Amino acid sequence: MNILQFDYLKHVTDGLDRDAVLNELMTAYGKDVWHFAFFMTHSREMADDISQDVFVKVYRQLYEFRGQSSIKTWLLAITRNTARDALRSAWMRRVVLFGAVNPSSGASPSAERESMDKLLTEELWAVVLNLPRKLREVLLMNSHYGLSMQEMADMLHLSVGTVKSRLHRARTAVNRRLSQEASWTGEEEWT
C-alpha cells in the first residue's frame, strides 16, 4: 500500500473533511486521469469534462473505496467507465472525433534534433491513438501508468491471459505500423 493510499484511508477513518481528501487525490492523480480520458476519447474537451465527472464521482463514492486495489487503479477504472459512457452516448455517435496531438518534447541540443524528436513523438502518438480502444487502453495502462498485468485484468474484468494477449497485439500493431511508415518514406526500419 503506497503512502498516499495509507494517508487517504487514515483521513477517511479519522472522519476528516472529504474536500481535503478530494483535493489531495486531484493533486496527486489529476493529470493521470486527464491523460487517460484523452487517450480514450481523442478529445481535449471531452477529457476535461470526463476528468471533472470522475472527481465528482470520486467525491460521492469516497467512503466506498475498499482498498482492494491501489487508488490509482480505482481512479483509472472510474475514468475508463466514465469515458466509455461518454463515447456511447447518442450525441457521441453523431460526432466524429478528430484532432492533432502535439505532445511536447524535452529540450534537445539542437533545433534539428528537437524537430526530429517532435516528429517521431507525434508519429508514435498518432499510431497509438489509432489503435482499437481495447488495445490502446492496455498499452497506455502498462507503458504510461505502470500497472501490472493483474491490476489491468482486475480493472478491465478480464483474465490476465487476455490482458497479455491484448498488450502483445498492441505492441505488434504499433511496431508493424511504424515499420510500414518507415519503409514508405525510405527510412530504416524501427525496432
Side-chain angles (χ1 to χ4, degrees), residues 4-173:
L4 183 59
Q5 188 169 352
F6 178 76
D7 289 344
Y8 166 78
L9 294 175
K10 182 178 172 215
H11 285 318
V12 171
T13 57
D14 287 347
L16 292 179
D17 185 16
R18 76 167 66 188
D19 293 339
V21 176
L22 181 67
N23 188 42
E24 187 178 330
L25 291 174
M26 289 173 64
T27 301
Y29 297 110
K31 287 182 182 180
D32 289 335
V33 167
W34 188 90
H35 285 110
F36 192 49
F38 176 75
F39 273 91
M40 294 288 293
T41 63
H42 299 198
S43 167
R44 293 179 188 278
E45 293 79 19
M46 287 190 71
D48 290 342
D49 292 343
I50 289 167
S51 297
Q52 290 175 5
D53 289 347
V54 165
F55 285 108
V56 167
K57 290 177 182 180
V58 166
Y59 186 80
R60 290 180 184 146
Q61 300 171 358
L62 210 51
Y63 297 113
E64 295 174 24
F65 178 72
R66 296 182 303 255
Q68 294 175 326
S69 65
S70 71
I71 289 176
K72 181 191 275 188
T73 303
W74 182 59
L75 289 171
L76 292 178
I78 294 170
T79 304
R80 177 180 182 263
N81 292 334
T82 304
R84 288 175 66 190
D85 290 345
L87 290 170
R88 283 189 204 133
S89 73
W91 179 80
M92 276 305 298
R93 285 192 291 265
R94 289 177 277 163
V95 176
V96 177
L97 295 176
F98 64 92
V101 178
N102 296 316
S104 60
S105 60
S108 297
S110 71
E112 181 182 356
R113 181 77 253 158
E114 185 175 327
S115 177
M116 291 301 292
D117 288 346
K118 184 177 180 191
L119 287 173
L120 283 172
T121 301
E122 287 176 357
E123 187 175 346
L124 177 62
W125 284 120
V127 169
V128 170
L129 288 172
N130 284 318
L131 289 173
R133 183 180 40 84
K134 290 178 179 182
L135 301 182
R136 186 175 63 240
E137 68 187 1
V138 295
L139 186 62
L140 178 66
M141 285 180 211
N142 181 259
S143 300
H144 187 70
Y145 295 110
L147 297 184
S148 70
M149 295 291 172
Q150 187 62 55
E151 287 176 316
M152 290 187 289
D154 292 345
M155 183 174 154
L156 299 171
H157 305 290
L158 299 169
S159 70
V160 172
T162 301
V163 170
K164 286 180 183 179
S165 172
R166 286 183 183 179
L167 187 57
H168 174 75
R169 288 181 13 227
R171 288 177 176 156
T172 300

